[in-house]
Amino acid sequence: MLNPKIVFTYVLLLASFTATAQYTEVINSNRPGVSRSAFSVGKNVAQFEVGPYLVKEEHTPLKNEASGFGIDFAARYGLLWEQLELNIEGTYQNDTFTDNRSVNSPIETDRANFRYLTLGAKYLVYDPYKKLGEEKPNIFSYHANRKFRWSSLIPAVSIYVGANYDAKNNSYVPYTNPLTRPNYEGGFSPKVMIATQHNFNSGWVLVMNFAKDRIGSDYSDFQYILTLTKAINQQWVLFGETEGIKSDYYADNLFRFGGAYLWNKDFQLDTAVTFNTKDTPSVFSFNFGASYRLDFHKDPDTDIDNGTNVLEEYERKANRNKKNKKKGDDSDTPSDSGKRKKETKEIDFDDEN
C-alpha cells in the first residue's frame, strides 16, 4: 500500500510541475464560460469542446422575441511549440423570430446561421509560472502551500489573432435586432485579443479577455470577459463570468454561472446559464456541454518508458534510502574498522613467517 505522505508529496510536486508548462495532466477546457485561457492545450494535443443550448430573447420596446436552440463548438490543437495553439470556434443557432407589432397577427420568421465562425491562433508571450516552478512546495505544512503569494498578481499573457467569416445578410450579426439595422454584407474580418490568467492558491483562477472583433467593418465591436473559477475538489469546479459588448449598434452586459465535472483526465462535462439585466433585448440561455481531448503529448524528459510510473519510482527510491540508512547504522564505527584492518594485517604477517 502506498504511503499517504508519499502520495501527498507527489501531488504537490505534480502541481508545481504543471504550473510551469502548457501541457497539464488533466484536460484544460475553455468551457463552460466563453473566455479563452492564456494557456494552450499543449503540443500534439487535439481537443474538442461542444455545448448545445436553449435560448430565449425578448425585446420589449420593439415587441419582438426569438426562441430556439444552438450549439457552441471549438476544435483546438497544440502545434510545433508548447505555447502555440491553433483553433476554430463558432456558434450555430436555429430559432424563430416573432414580430408582434402587427395588429392582425404576429409575423414569424425562421432563422438558421452562424452567430460567429472564427479561425485563429493563440500564443503565450509571458509565463510567470516558470520561475514559480523553481519554488519547492513545503511538504510539512498544508497551510504554507495555500497562503497568498504576491507573485500570483502577475498574470500569464497570450495574444490571439483570428479571422471571422460571416455570411451575407446574416441576421445574427452583429448581435443586433434585424428590424433596426441595415443589411450586413458579411465576408472576412480580423479579430485580435489579449488573454491573461492568474492562478491563485486554494483553487482560484481569474481569466480576463480583451478583444476587438470584426475590425474594419461597420459592425466592429469591443468585448471584455472576466471569468473567476473555483475548484471545489479534484472533480468539481464552479465559475462566474461577466461579458461586456460595445459597438455602434449594440451594447450589452451578460452574466454566466455554472460548473464543470471532470469525468476523467481527458473528459469533462459542464453546464451554465446566461442572462442579462435589460429588455433591449432580455436574454436567457441554458447550456450543457462536454470537452474531450486526444492526448499525444510527449515530454522530452520522459520519452523513455521504463515501465515504472512516477509514483512507484518515488516510493522505490524512498525505500532504498531507508535501507541504506539502516545499513549505515549497523556498520562499524571508523575506530572499530581501523582496529579490524590492523588485526588483519597482523594475521597476514604471522602467516608469512
Side-chain angles (χ1 to χ4, degrees):
M1 180 179 293
L2 297 177
N3 190 317
K5 291 184 178 180
I6 295 177
V7 175
F8 177 68
T9 303
Y10 168 74
V11 171
L12 290 176
L13 293 174
L14 179 62
S16 176
F17 167 75
T18 55
T20 66
Q22 294 290 285
Y23 174 78
T24 55
E25 292 296 324
V26 298
I27 188 171
N28 175 22
S29 176
N30 286 326
R31 295 189 57 84
V34 300
S35 63
R36 306 298 184 261
S37 166
F39 295 97
S40 76
V41 292
K43 183 180 177 182
N44 296 327
V45 173
Q47 188 162 305
F48 306 94
E49 304 172 6
V50 62
Y53 64 87
L54 300 174
V55 63
K56 177 74 172 179
E57 300 180 4
E58 295 184 4
H59 200 299
T60 302
L62 296 180
K63 299 180 180 180
N64 61 67
E65 62 184 43
S67 61
F69 63 92
I71 184 170
D72 298 319
F73 60 88
R76 307 165 60 190
Y77 185 74
L79 182 66
L80 297 179
W81 305 286
E82 293 288 344
Q83 296 87 349
L84 178 63
E85 174 188 305
L86 303 182
N87 52 65
I88 181 170
E89 303 169 328
T91 298
Y92 185 84
Q93 185 166 312
N94 186 311
D95 64 24
T96 299
F97 180 83
T98 304
D99 183 1
N100 296 308
R101 296 179 300 173
S102 175
V103 178
N104 297 325
S105 62
I107 300 175
E108 294 185 350
T109 304
D110 293 331
R111 306 184 299 180
N113 215 319
F114 289 98
R115 293 193 76 108
Y116 81 94
L117 181 64
T118 308
L119 176 66
K122 181 177 65 176
Y123 188 83
L124 182 74
V125 295
Y126 180 70
D127 182 5
Y129 303 107
K130 285 185 177 181
K131 295 182 179 180
L132 293 178
E134 299 174 0
E135 300 179 7
K136 297 181 179 180
N138 189 336
I139 64 176
F140 302 104
S141 175
Y142 172 80
H143 296 286
N145 291 292
R146 295 171 62 88
K147 69 179 182 180
F148 178 79
R149 296 178 181 177
W150 289 102
S151 56
S152 62
L153 296 178
I154 303 175
V157 180
S158 66
I159 56 175
Y160 171 92
V161 178
N164 300 294
Y165 174 73
D166 297 313
K168 185 177 180 179
N169 295 331
N170 186 342
S171 59
Y172 295 120
V173 180
Y175 309 105
T176 60
N177 194 290
L179 301 177
T180 60
R181 66 170 174 80
N183 291 332
Y184 181 56
E185 295 299 325
F188 290 92
S189 59
K191 176 180 180 178
V192 295
M193 179 177 65
I194 296 177
T196 68
Q197 180 169 334
H198 298 80
N199 293 340
F200 301 109
N201 287 337
S202 303
W204 291 96
V205 176
L206 175 64
V207 174
M208 295 186 290
N209 292 174
F210 304 93
K212 184 67 174 176
D213 206 358
R214 295 184 173 89
I215 299 173
S217 73
D218 293 334
Y219 301 97
S220 178
D221 61 45
F222 172 78
Q223 302 176 12
Y224 72 86
I225 307 173
L226 307 179
T227 306
L228 185 63
T229 64
K230 166 63 175 175
I232 304 301
N233 52 41
Q234 293 182 351
Q235 280 77 38
W236 289 98
V237 173
L238 300 178
F239 91 102
E241 182 175 274
T242 179
E243 177 183 9
I245 304 171
K246 177 65 177 178
S247 73
D248 293 337
Y249 293 91
Y250 180 69
D252 207 345
N253 287 286
L254 302 172
F255 303 93
R256 295 182 184 87
F257 296 94
Y261 176 76
L262 184 66
W263 188 277
N264 59 45
K265 68 182 185 68
D266 297 318
F267 184 53
Q268 172 189 296
L269 297 173
D270 61 75
T271 186
V273 294
T274 303
F275 60 92
N276 64 358
T277 57
K278 67 174 191 173
D279 60 358
T280 57
S282 63
V283 176
F284 181 82
S285 175
F286 171 76
N287 73 65
F288 60 92
S291 303
Y292 181 75
R293 73 173 180 177
L294 299 175
D295 188 0
F296 303 106
H297 182 275
K298 289 185 178 180
D299 192 325
D301 297 332
T302 58
D303 283 345
I304 301 177
D305 184 6
N306 59 6
T308 304
N309 63 44
V310 177
L311 193 56
E312 291 175 347
E313 179 68 12
Y314 186 91
E315 185 176 27
R316 184 181 65 81
K317 289 183 178 181
N319 292 333
R320 185 175 60 186
N321 292 335
K322 289 181 180 179
K323 291 181 180 180
N324 292 338
K325 183 177 180 180
K326 183 177 180 180
K327 184 178 179 181
D329 293 340
D330 294 340
S331 62
D332 296 326
T333 62
S335 58
D336 293 337
S337 176
K339 291 180 180 179
R340 186 168 58 186
K341 290 180 180 180
K342 182 177 180 180
E343 292 175 356
T344 303
K345 289 182 180 180
E346 293 176 354
I347 293 174
D348 293 340
F349 178 79
D350 293 339
D351 290 339
E352 291 178 355
N353 289 316

